[in-house]
Amino acid sequence: MIEIRLPDGSVMEVEEGVTVKEIAGKIAKSLEKNAVGAVFNGELIDTLTPIKVSGDIKIITSKDEESLHILRHSASHVLAKAVKKIYGDDSVKLAIGPSTEEGFYYDFDLPETISEEDLGKIEEEMAKIIKEKEPFKREVVSREKALELFKNEPYKIELINELPEDAEITIYWLGEDFYDLCRGPHVEHAGMIKAFKLLSLAGAYWRGDSRNKMLQRIYGTAFWKKSQLDDYLHRLEEAKKRDHRILGKQLDLFSIHEEAGPGLVFWHPNGAILRQTIEAWAEEEHRKRGYERVYTPHLMKAELWKTSGHYDFYKENMFFVPVVEHDEDEKLGNEEIPLTPEEIERANWYAVKPMNCPAHILIYKSQPRSYRDLPIRYFEFGTVYRYEKSGSLHGLLRVRGFTQDDGHIFCRPDQLKEEIQSVLDYVMELLSTFKLDYVINIGTKPEKYIGTDEQWEHATNSLIEALRERGFDYNIVEGDGAFYGPKIDIAVLDAIGRKWDGPTIQVDFNLPERFDVHYVDRDGEKKRPVLVHRAIMGSVERFIGLLIEHYAGLFPLWLAPVQAVIIPVSDKYIDYADEVYKKLKKAGIRVKLDDESGKVGFKIRKAEVQKIPYMLIVGQKERESNTVSVRSKKEGDIGSMPLDKLVDRLKFEIENKI
């Protein structure tokens, strides 16, 4: 017999090999009917998996978020079977087909190219499998049998050969004629997949390695109810309208040029104004909160990154440069001098910084520190460079060069909670200012970690107490901390409910040890300070990408690169339009004058496309009355307004960030 502990603390004795469905039936017949899986000892399993050891269980129904993983993983197998049936079992080679946060995908290797038009017929074949309610069946097989079953599936053979010798190998049958190498979990039968949709196609290298073959990936999604699917598809359509890459071009904010290098952003004047406005706000907030601004080099010796540990654990994502020291009397000229193998061998290697923390630590270590000096808070708009694979680059959201609003706090253990609260206050100011919703997660000690259990307990409790005392709701994500300390991650929700990586607060026991960072305490002894990494916006580029999509390009007035455009109804009124322009400019309004030839309607449409918050139309009536006719992008036609009143309105809206 084994013991199964339920969420309410009660314990159930059951026979070894019992399934989730049987356990659910012992609790309630309704639960047995609705169960689609369970979380057992932290692992998601399906109703068919036999349980052989004692442990904690939580029965999952379609109302639980975890159930979507089971549903979507099952849909990916239905997709694979459908593709096999359409294109021929021998022609199609299966790679992998996991669920994702938004849906599922499956990677295929086949001689024929799948097109967007083919998705409809694949969906029809999937619908047939679902209509037949073909069952999923779990089977444990020997390594020999697995290799025999998948002898014509090279990608599966590769995966099997990489499994540990003692690994339990499982396959899942779907009906009588399809099976796949899989750990699960899955629904009991395909008929439980009520609402699904294939979304798009993409190329994907096997195992994400560009040296491997390019496969064909089909993306899809699935929900328990059609209404949920319809809502999701509506959000996708909204997301397309808000795509920051399209709006970035339309609003003339930024560009990326392959000839300069992928993932490197060029900010145009409009984008520079937007970025400068955001950075100025952040600069002032840091000043108010006791941070000291620092600047650090972009290029530092590789030895520094060996000390920090980045060289060992992160070097594949770093850019390195060999620097050869030449004698002063050696005439180099301006011509390019290629490095010989011998020069490369004796070169001093430098790295373009992927992070700012080691540089801030060097500033801290530049002089002795006392307990009286702490906390010390450094802040930098630090531009860093990371080698992201070209296939993963995506507009402003994933780039190779980006700027962080990076801060590091050196404090005593007794100051930690107060410092965390101060950072949280700043985070909430950010989210409130930019009208963003959020979800807070605490990542706790993972299996592999450094530091003492006492340090981890103190740091984790400091994070929890800081959140509790500020009255914030949060989720504990067990084992999700970094190896060097626990963390708070704040996921930002945009206007259509999507989650974005947001502010992060991390406690670090690693770098103070590696760099021998200390302060002299009251007792005259050297002590290690606690190091807190924190980024409020994170990547400035990604944050601006988020804002573009959150606002759909229509920024609040204080952020808008062009806040108002003056449109004379004809060339006769350009002089008066210029007077209005100068007065608004003098008041600090970012304004432009559209004095090009053309009809008023065309100019208004142009301003609409550029999403300029205010259009100020001037003609004979406005000139005679010293007014402007005001049209708001959000409110429509506001009517005639005296110029002084308009200036007051705009300044009030800007100053109060309305």
mmCIF file of all heavy atoms in Angstrom, residues 491-522:
data_model
loop_
_atom_site.group_PDB
_atom_site.id
_atom_site.type_symbol
_atom_site.label_atom_id
_atom_site.label_comp_id
_atom_site.label_asym_id
_atom_site.label_seq_id
_atom_site.Cartn_x
_atom_site.Cartn_y
_atom_site.Cartn_z
ATOM 1 N N ALA A 491 5.468 39.902 -13.858
ATOM 2 C CA ALA A 491 4.998 39.807 -15.241
ATOM 3 C C ALA A 491 4.015 40.941 -15.489
ATOM 4 O O ALA A 491 3.072 41.144 -14.718
ATOM 5 C CB ALA A 491 4.331 38.460 -15.486
ATOM 6 N N VAL A 492 4.256 41.693 -16.541
ATOM 7 C CA VAL A 492 3.408 42.837 -16.877
ATOM 8 C C VAL A 492 2.329 42.388 -17.858
ATOM 9 O O VAL A 492 2.598 41.647 -18.802
ATOM 10 C CB VAL A 492 4.260 43.955 -17.503
ATOM 11 C CG1 VAL A 492 3.381 45.106 -17.965
ATOM 12 C CG2 VAL A 492 5.289 44.459 -16.497
ATOM 13 N N LEU A 493 1.097 42.823 -17.618
ATOM 14 C CA LEU A 493 -0.029 42.502 -18.502
ATOM 15 C C LEU A 493 -0.359 43.728 -19.339
ATOM 16 O O LEU A 493 -0.532 44.825 -18.807
ATOM 17 C CB LEU A 493 -1.258 42.097 -17.683
ATOM 18 C CG LEU A 493 -1.066 40.941 -16.701
ATOM 19 C CD1 LEU A 493 -2.353 40.692 -15.925
ATOM 20 C CD2 LEU A 493 -0.644 39.682 -17.432
ATOM 21 N N ASP A 494 -0.450 43.537 -20.657
ATOM 22 C CA ASP A 494 -0.761 44.679 -21.515
ATOM 23 C C ASP A 494 -2.267 44.832 -21.699
ATOM 24 O O ASP A 494 -3.069 44.136 -21.058
ATOM 25 C CB ASP A 494 -0.018 44.566 -22.851
ATOM 26 C CG ASP A 494 -0.541 43.436 -23.746
ATOM 27 O OD1 ASP A 494 -1.580 42.840 -23.414
ATOM 28 O OD2 ASP A 494 0.088 43.153 -24.775
ATOM 29 N N ALA A 495 -2.644 45.730 -22.598
ATOM 30 C CA ALA A 495 -4.056 46.092 -22.761
ATOM 31 C C ALA A 495 -4.923 44.935 -23.222
ATOM 32 O O ALA A 495 -6.138 44.955 -23.034
ATOM 33 C CB ALA A 495 -4.175 47.253 -23.748
ATOM 34 N N ILE A 496 -4.335 43.911 -23.850
ATOM 35 C CA ILE A 496 -5.147 42.768 -24.297
ATOM 36 C C ILE A 496 -4.806 41.502 -23.513
ATOM 37 O O ILE A 496 -5.079 40.389 -23.972
ATOM 38 C CB ILE A 496 -5.020 42.544 -25.821
ATOM 39 C CG1 ILE A 496 -3.571 42.303 -26.245
ATOM 40 C CG2 ILE A 496 -5.608 43.700 -26.577
ATOM 41 C CD1 ILE A 496 -3.426 41.946 -27.721
ATOM 42 N N GLY A 497 -4.206 41.678 -22.328
ATOM 43 C CA GLY A 497 -4.042 40.565 -21.405
ATOM 44 C C GLY A 497 -2.822 39.695 -21.607
ATOM 45 O O GLY A 497 -2.680 38.670 -20.953
ATOM 46 N N ARG A 498 -1.894 40.082 -22.499
ATOM 47 C CA ARG A 498 -0.691 39.278 -22.694
ATOM 48 C C ARG A 498 0.333 39.556 -21.606
ATOM 49 O O ARG A 498 0.445 40.686 -21.116
ATOM 50 C CB ARG A 498 -0.070 39.575 -24.063
ATOM 51 C CG ARG A 498 -0.928 39.172 -25.245
ATOM 52 C CD ARG A 498 -0.328 39.688 -26.548
ATOM 53 N NE ARG A 498 -0.258 41.140 -26.569
ATOM 54 C CZ ARG A 498 0.285 41.844 -27.560
ATOM 55 N NH1 ARG A 498 0.807 41.219 -28.597
ATOM 56 N NH2 ARG A 498 0.297 43.166 -27.509
ATOM 57 N N LYS A 499 1.099 38.534 -21.248
ATOM 58 C CA LYS A 499 2.140 38.681 -20.238
ATOM 59 C C LYS A 499 3.475 39.019 -20.895
ATOM 60 O O LYS A 499 3.848 38.425 -21.898
ATOM 61 C CB LYS A 499 2.301 37.392 -19.417
ATOM 62 C CG LYS A 499 1.175 37.122 -18.453
ATOM 63 C CD LYS A 499 1.453 35.865 -17.643
ATOM 64 C CE LYS A 499 0.304 35.566 -16.683
ATOM 65 N NZ LYS A 499 0.549 34.317 -15.922
ATOM 66 N N TRP A 500 4.183 39.971 -20.294
ATOM 67 C CA TRP A 500 5.513 40.366 -20.746
ATOM 68 C C TRP A 500 6.488 40.264 -19.568
ATOM 69 O O TRP A 500 6.114 40.524 -18.427
ATOM 70 C CB TRP A 500 5.517 41.809 -21.247
ATOM 71 C CG TRP A 500 4.586 42.096 -22.380
ATOM 72 C CD1 TRP A 500 3.214 42.082 -22.352
ATOM 73 C CD2 TRP A 500 4.950 42.463 -23.711
ATOM 74 N NE1 TRP A 500 2.710 42.418 -23.578
ATOM 75 C CE2 TRP A 500 3.750 42.667 -24.438
ATOM 76 C CE3 TRP A 500 6.163 42.655 -24.365
ATOM 77 C CZ2 TRP A 500 3.736 43.046 -25.774
ATOM 78 C CZ3 TRP A 500 6.146 43.039 -25.705
ATOM 79 C CH2 TRP A 500 4.956 43.226 -26.387
ATOM 80 N N ASP A 501 7.743 39.920 -19.866
ATOM 81 C CA ASP A 501 8.764 39.961 -18.820
ATOM 82 C C ASP A 501 8.892 41.389 -18.336
ATOM 83 O O ASP A 501 9.067 42.323 -19.132
ATOM 84 C CB ASP A 501 10.113 39.478 -19.352
ATOM 85 C CG ASP A 501 10.107 37.987 -19.651
ATOM 86 O OD1 ASP A 501 9.274 37.275 -19.053
ATOM 87 O OD2 ASP A 501 10.932 37.529 -20.460
ATOM 88 N N GLY A 502 8.832 41.570 -17.017
ATOM 89 C CA GLY A 502 8.861 42.916 -16.455
ATOM 90 C C GLY A 502 9.936 43.085 -15.413
ATOM 91 O O GLY A 502 11.006 42.477 -15.496
ATOM 92 N N PRO A 503 9.666 43.887 -14.388
ATOM 93 C CA PRO A 503 10.670 44.155 -13.361
ATOM 94 C C PRO A 503 11.120 42.878 -12.658
ATOM 95 O O PRO A 503 10.344 41.930 -12.501
ATOM 96 C CB PRO A 503 9.925 45.079 -12.388
ATOM 97 C CG PRO A 503 8.836 45.697 -13.208
ATOM 98 C CD PRO A 503 8.431 44.662 -14.200
ATOM 99 N N THR A 504 12.367 42.872 -12.235
ATOM 100 C CA THR A 504 12.898 41.726 -11.502
ATOM 101 C C THR A 504 13.772 42.220 -10.355
ATOM 102 O O THR A 504 14.464 43.243 -10.484
ATOM 103 C CB THR A 504 13.690 40.785 -12.435
ATOM 104 O OG1 THR A 504 14.131 39.646 -11.713
ATOM 105 C CG2 THR A 504 14.895 41.479 -13.045
ATOM 106 N N ILE A 505 13.706 41.497 -9.244
ATOM 107 C CA ILE A 505 14.510 41.805 -8.050
ATOM 108 C C ILE A 505 15.166 40.501 -7.619
ATOM 109 O O ILE A 505 14.469 39.533 -7.304
ATOM 110 C CB ILE A 505 13.631 42.353 -6.902
ATOM 111 C CG1 ILE A 505 12.776 43.532 -7.388
ATOM 112 C CG2 ILE A 505 14.493 42.754 -5.715
ATOM 113 C CD1 ILE A 505 11.671 43.934 -6.417
ATOM 114 N N GLN A 506 16.499 40.459 -7.610
ATOM 115 C CA GLN A 506 17.215 39.214 -7.330
ATOM 116 C C GLN A 506 18.238 39.423 -6.227
ATOM 117 O O GLN A 506 19.006 40.384 -6.262
ATOM 118 C CB GLN A 506 17.921 38.703 -8.593
ATOM 119 C CG GLN A 506 16.980 38.440 -9.757
ATOM 120 C CD GLN A 506 17.709 38.009 -11.020
ATOM 121 O OE1 GLN A 506 18.920 38.074 -11.093
ATOM 122 N NE2 GLN A 506 16.954 37.576 -12.013
ATOM 123 N N VAL A 507 18.238 38.507 -5.275
ATOM 124 C CA VAL A 507 19.243 38.508 -4.213
ATOM 125 C C VAL A 507 20.385 37.595 -4.650
ATOM 126 O O VAL A 507 20.152 36.501 -5.161
ATOM 127 C CB VAL A 507 18.636 38.013 -2.881
ATOM 128 C CG1 VAL A 507 19.687 38.007 -1.783
ATOM 129 C CG2 VAL A 507 17.451 38.889 -2.490
ATOM 130 N N ASP A 508 21.636 38.059 -4.455
ATOM 131 C CA ASP A 508 22.790 37.340 -4.998
ATOM 132 C C ASP A 508 23.814 37.031 -3.903
ATOM 133 O O ASP A 508 24.338 37.942 -3.268
ATOM 134 C CB ASP A 508 23.443 38.191 -6.101
ATOM 135 C CG ASP A 508 24.539 37.460 -6.853
ATOM 136 O OD1 ASP A 508 24.913 36.358 -6.446
ATOM 137 O OD2 ASP A 508 25.011 38.009 -7.866
ATOM 138 N N PHE A 509 24.074 35.726 -3.692
ATOM 139 C CA PHE A 509 25.141 35.308 -2.783
ATOM 140 C C PHE A 509 26.429 34.965 -3.532
ATOM 141 O O PHE A 509 27.465 34.731 -2.917
ATOM 142 C CB PHE A 509 24.712 34.061 -1.995
ATOM 143 C CG PHE A 509 23.400 34.201 -1.291
ATOM 144 C CD1 PHE A 509 22.367 33.310 -1.528
ATOM 145 C CD2 PHE A 509 23.188 35.232 -0.396
ATOM 146 C CE1 PHE A 509 21.149 33.436 -0.885
ATOM 147 C CE2 PHE A 509 21.964 35.369 0.253
ATOM 148 C CZ PHE A 509 20.949 34.461 0.009
ATOM 149 N N ASN A 510 26.344 34.915 -4.860
ATOM 150 C CA ASN A 510 27.442 34.396 -5.681
ATOM 151 C C ASN A 510 28.531 35.432 -5.942
ATOM 152 O O ASN A 510 29.702 35.221 -5.611
ATOM 153 C CB ASN A 510 26.872 33.874 -7.009
ATOM 154 C CG ASN A 510 27.935 33.360 -7.943
ATOM 155 O OD1 ASN A 510 28.822 32.615 -7.530
ATOM 156 N ND2 ASN A 510 27.874 33.756 -9.201
ATOM 157 N N LEU A 511 28.151 36.558 -6.538
ATOM 158 C CA LEU A 511 29.159 37.531 -6.936
ATOM 159 C C LEU A 511 29.901 38.164 -5.762
ATOM 160 O O LEU A 511 31.117 38.381 -5.859
ATOM 161 C CB LEU A 511 28.519 38.604 -7.822
ATOM 162 C CG LEU A 511 28.099 38.128 -9.213
ATOM 163 C CD1 LEU A 511 27.499 39.271 -10.029
ATOM 164 C CD2 LEU A 511 29.269 37.517 -9.976
ATOM 165 N N PRO A 512 29.254 38.471 -4.625
ATOM 166 C CA PRO A 512 30.042 38.976 -3.501
ATOM 167 C C PRO A 512 31.138 38.003 -3.070
ATOM 168 O O PRO A 512 32.232 38.420 -2.667
ATOM 169 C CB PRO A 512 28.985 39.151 -2.391
ATOM 170 C CG PRO A 512 27.715 39.383 -3.129
ATOM 171 C CD PRO A 512 27.800 38.506 -4.338
ATOM 172 N N GLU A 513 30.857 36.706 -3.181
ATOM 173 C CA GLU A 513 31.856 35.690 -2.831
ATOM 174 C C GLU A 513 32.957 35.644 -3.883
ATOM 175 O O GLU A 513 34.149 35.635 -3.555
ATOM 176 C CB GLU A 513 31.169 34.324 -2.726
ATOM 177 C CG GLU A 513 31.995 33.246 -2.052
ATOM 178 C CD GLU A 513 32.126 33.459 -0.555
ATOM 179 O OE1 GLU A 513 31.177 33.961 0.081
ATOM 180 O OE2 GLU A 513 33.216 33.147 -0.026
ATOM 181 N N ARG A 514 32.574 35.629 -5.153
ATOM 182 C CA ARG A 514 33.562 35.525 -6.236
ATOM 183 C C ARG A 514 34.509 36.720 -6.269
ATOM 184 O O ARG A 514 35.693 36.585 -6.577
ATOM 185 C CB ARG A 514 32.842 35.404 -7.585
ATOM 186 C CG ARG A 514 32.333 34.001 -7.901
ATOM 187 C CD ARG A 514 31.652 33.978 -9.260
ATOM 188 N NE ARG A 514 31.377 32.616 -9.699
ATOM 189 C CZ ARG A 514 32.205 31.876 -10.422
ATOM 190 N NH1 ARG A 514 33.390 32.364 -10.773
ATOM 191 N NH2 ARG A 514 31.885 30.656 -10.792
ATOM 192 N N PHE A 515 33.987 37.904 -5.974
ATOM 193 C CA PHE A 515 34.804 39.116 -6.041
ATOM 194 C C PHE A 515 35.342 39.538 -4.668
ATOM 195 O O PHE A 515 35.963 40.596 -4.559
ATOM 196 C CB PHE A 515 33.982 40.262 -6.644
ATOM 197 C CG PHE A 515 33.867 40.198 -8.140
ATOM 198 C CD1 PHE A 515 32.793 39.546 -8.735
ATOM 199 C CD2 PHE A 515 34.820 40.775 -8.959
ATOM 200 C CE1 PHE A 515 32.671 39.480 -10.122
ATOM 201 C CE2 PHE A 515 34.709 40.726 -10.337
ATOM 202 C CZ PHE A 515 33.643 40.070 -10.930
ATOM 203 N N ASP A 516 35.095 38.701 -3.655
ATOM 204 C CA ASP A 516 35.567 38.999 -2.289
ATOM 205 C C ASP A 516 35.131 40.405 -1.865
ATOM 206 O O ASP A 516 35.924 41.247 -1.456
ATOM 207 C CB ASP A 516 37.090 38.857 -2.203
ATOM 208 C CG ASP A 516 37.584 38.914 -0.753
ATOM 209 O OD1 ASP A 516 36.792 38.583 0.159
ATOM 210 O OD2 ASP A 516 38.755 39.297 -0.537
ATOM 211 N N VAL A 517 33.830 40.652 -2.003
ATOM 212 C CA VAL A 517 33.256 41.944 -1.638
ATOM 213 C C VAL A 517 32.974 41.949 -0.137
ATOM 214 O O VAL A 517 32.451 40.971 0.408
ATOM 215 C CB VAL A 517 31.951 42.194 -2.427
ATOM 216 C CG1 VAL A 517 31.337 43.522 -2.034
ATOM 217 C CG2 VAL A 517 32.225 42.145 -3.922
ATOM 218 N N HIS A 518 33.311 43.040 0.531
ATOM 219 C CA HIS A 518 33.056 43.084 1.971
ATOM 220 C C HIS A 518 32.899 44.530 2.449
ATOM 221 O O HIS A 518 33.110 45.485 1.707
ATOM 222 C CB HIS A 518 34.195 42.398 2.744
ATOM 223 C CG HIS A 518 35.549 42.983 2.468
ATOM 224 N ND1 HIS A 518 36.433 42.410 1.599
ATOM 225 C CD2 HIS A 518 36.153 44.104 2.935
ATOM 226 C CE1 HIS A 518 37.541 43.141 1.539
ATOM 227 N NE2 HIS A 518 37.384 44.175 2.339
ATOM 228 N N TYR A 519 32.496 44.647 3.697
ATOM 229 C CA TYR A 519 32.481 45.921 4.413
ATOM 230 C C TYR A 519 32.939 45.637 5.830
ATOM 231 O O TYR A 519 32.927 44.480 6.293
ATOM 232 C CB TYR A 519 31.084 46.549 4.407
ATOM 233 C CG TYR A 519 30.036 45.749 5.154
ATOM 234 C CD1 TYR A 519 29.743 46.004 6.503
ATOM 235 C CD2 TYR A 519 29.320 44.729 4.515
ATOM 236 C CE1 TYR A 519 28.785 45.269 7.183
ATOM 237 C CE2 TYR A 519 28.365 43.991 5.191
ATOM 238 C CZ TYR A 519 28.101 44.262 6.525
ATOM 239 O OH TYR A 519 27.159 43.521 7.203
ATOM 240 N N VAL A 520 33.370 46.667 6.525
ATOM 241 C CA VAL A 520 33.807 46.509 7.910
ATOM 242 C C VAL A 520 32.618 46.795 8.819
ATOM 243 O O VAL A 520 32.049 47.891 8.789
ATOM 244 C CB VAL A 520 34.989 47.446 8.240
ATOM 245 C CG1 VAL A 520 35.389 47.288 9.700
ATOM 246 C CG2 VAL A 520 36.169 47.148 7.317
ATOM 247 N N ASP A 521 32.256 45.803 9.627
ATOM 248 C CA ASP A 521 31.070 45.921 10.478
ATOM 249 C C ASP A 521 31.409 46.639 11.787
ATOM 250 O O ASP A 521 32.563 46.998 12.055
ATOM 251 C CB ASP A 521 30.508 44.521 10.752
ATOM 252 C CG ASP A 521 29.010 44.550 11.014
ATOM 253 O OD1 ASP A 521 28.441 45.655 11.105
ATOM 254 O OD2 ASP A 521 28.410 43.463 11.111
ATOM 255 N N ARG A 522 30.385 46.814 12.622
ATOM 256 C CA ARG A 522 30.541 47.516 13.893
ATOM 257 C C ARG A 522 31.628 46.900 14.766
ATOM 258 O O ARG A 522 32.307 47.598 15.524
ATOM 259 C CB ARG A 522 29.219 47.502 14.669
ATOM 260 C CG ARG A 522 28.123 48.345 14.065
ATOM 261 C CD ARG A 522 26.870 48.269 14.905
ATOM 262 N NE ARG A 522 25.809 49.109 14.383
ATOM 263 C CZ ARG A 522 24.948 48.719 13.441
ATOM 264 N NH1 ARG A 522 25.045 47.500 12.914
ATOM 265 N NH2 ARG A 522 24.019 49.548 13.016
#
